Amino acid sequence: MPEIHTPDILSRLGISQLSEMQRNAVSVITANADTVLLAPTGTGKTLAFLLPLVSALDSEKAEPQALVLSPTRELAEQTFSVFTRMGTPLRACCLHGGRPAMDEHRQLNNIQPQLIVGTPGRINDHLDKGNFAADGIRMLVIDEFDKMLELKFQDELGRIVRRLTGVRRSVLVSATDAPEIPAFMGLTRRRPVVLDYLSPSSSRQKARITHYIVRSPQRDKLETLRMLLSKFGQQQAVVFVGYRESVDRVGQFLRGQGYSVSLFHGGMEQRERERSLYLFAGGAANVLVSTDLSARGLDIPTLRHVVHYHQPARPEDYLHRCGRTGRWDQNGDSYLILAPGETEPQYEGVDFEEYDLRPPYAPPAPSKWVSVYIGKGRKDKLSKGDVVGFLCKQGGARRDDIGRIDMGEHWAYVAVLRSRVRQIISQCQGEKIKKLSTKIELMKP
């Protein structure tokens, strides 16, 4: 079996070294049957459990050996993305709602993954149909365990755990104080090792994020939001609102002001949600207006600004929102907009400063990147390297002209420098990629 070297993985991920939390988590998870990992959002918990997981898998066995359960499809996709970028010889499938289960069944048969990442409902659906064998799974990770219980997934989780009779190692991961662990996990009998990095003494996340109160002189906060965003220049921001309808209202207002905006909420079709997140993650949209759905699972290391247009329902939701910025060793800013009559909330460990919002207010800055759609993807035997080669050879692009690339089954989204995109698309029109005719066009938020 090919060896898996952690330094090589970190190099591919662009990481110089693991944090103290990650080093301890890798060591403890490797050495113990059961672990509970508590650490703030943005500290790299996904890599902390994936590293010992991939080291325990056998790439020569064509059967599932590990299962990672996520509460949302967005978090499942994020975990799958991190695993893919690790560049190991192991194979994985990501299974969740929003697409036909039959397509996933075919994917399971074709790929024969050693790792499965998925949401509880879809995993139970596949187990009910016998689409993959459960008896070979030796390691179980339940990510965002607190969110699982909040979403009432206890019954779904219990059904899965009872079916995984061969599990020898379990990991529960949470970004908030873990509630009581249900008896079906069996961990109370085995006394799991608890790694707690949530206390102020063990977590440096709070010091990396500055929390501001922004006063709106009117009940309608749209003008205050516009003025605040004008202070960020080309830097990106996530604007959190409390309702789906507010996503559309705020987004339409900002677009009318000239901002490049992506929208994100649970009422959107899965493909629309993926496209919106890509446009923002790829840098083509400067603003993402979202419900709390993206408060977990959105991983953009360079994101500096989080704006709370509406106050979150619970203190822990505020912390999850803030966790989209200040990731790893980066600094971040959080802005809570308060209208007349709204009182400053009291969040444990959060000290607010007053933000002095005053002129001048700059016009919206155009995004540095724009996104390009290419009508071929993984099922057309296309790789990211093929895309880069196509844009450079046929389009005359330089490597620095190309940013993030996301591959779908029959499409690719590519971030290209705004200053170069028209020339590159023009030169690629009518050209073939790997001897395949394809469409290439500019995407718009």
Side-chain angles (χ1 to χ4, degrees), residues 67-70 93-97 104 108 116-132 137 140 156 159-160 163-164:
L67 174 64
V68 177
L69 293 171
S70 302
C93 280
C94 189
L95 312 176
H96 56 69
E104 293 182 340
L108 285 165
I116 291 177
V117 182
T119 52
R122 182 52 63 93
I123 293 298
N124 269 317
D125 183 34
H126 284 293
L127 288 172
D128 288 342
K129 297 172 181 175
N131 290 345
F132 68 86
I137 293 178
L140 172 65
E156 297 274 14
R159 288 180 61 204
I160 293 172
R163 289 168 158 179
L164 303 183

Side-chain angles (χ1 to χ4, degrees), residues 39-42 45 71 75 143-148 150 173-177 198 205 209 211 238 240 291-298 303 306 308 312 314-325 327 334 347 350:
T41 57
K45 296 188 297 297
L75 186 58
D143 198 6
E144 299 287 10
F145 187 65
D146 56 328
K147 187 68 174 179
M148 291 282 198
E150 176 193 327
V173 183
S174 177
T176 60
D177 288 332
L198 293 176
Q205 188 204 28
I209 299 177
H211 302 268
V238 177
F240 283 107
T291 59
D292 283 337
L293 184 62
S294 68
R296 305 182 191 227
L298 180 64
L303 180 65
V306 168
H308 311 267
R314 305 174 308 163
E316 53 264 39
D317 294 333
Y318 178 82
L319 295 178
H320 281 296
R321 289 177 174 186
C322 292
R324 299 314 97 204
T325 187
R327 300 183 72 78
S334 170
Y347 297 134
V350 175

Side-chain angles (χ1 to χ4, degrees), residues 63-64 132-138 163-167:
E63 63 179 7
F132 68 86
D135 53 0
I137 293 178
R138 296 290 181 264
R163 289 168 158 179
L164 303 183
T165 57
V167 168

Side-chain angles (χ1 to χ4, degrees), residues 102-108 110-111 375-383 407-412 434 436:
M102 181 60 70
D103 290 348
E104 293 182 340
H105 186 198
R106 285 193 288 267
Q107 189 180 40
L108 285 165
N110 293 334
I111 294 177
K376 290 290 183 286
R378 291 193 304 266
K379 285 199 171 180
D380 305 295
K381 308 300 183 184
L382 208 65
S383 68
M407 302 295 297
E409 292 185 350
H410 293 292
W411 51 263
K434 290 190 73 175
L436 298 171

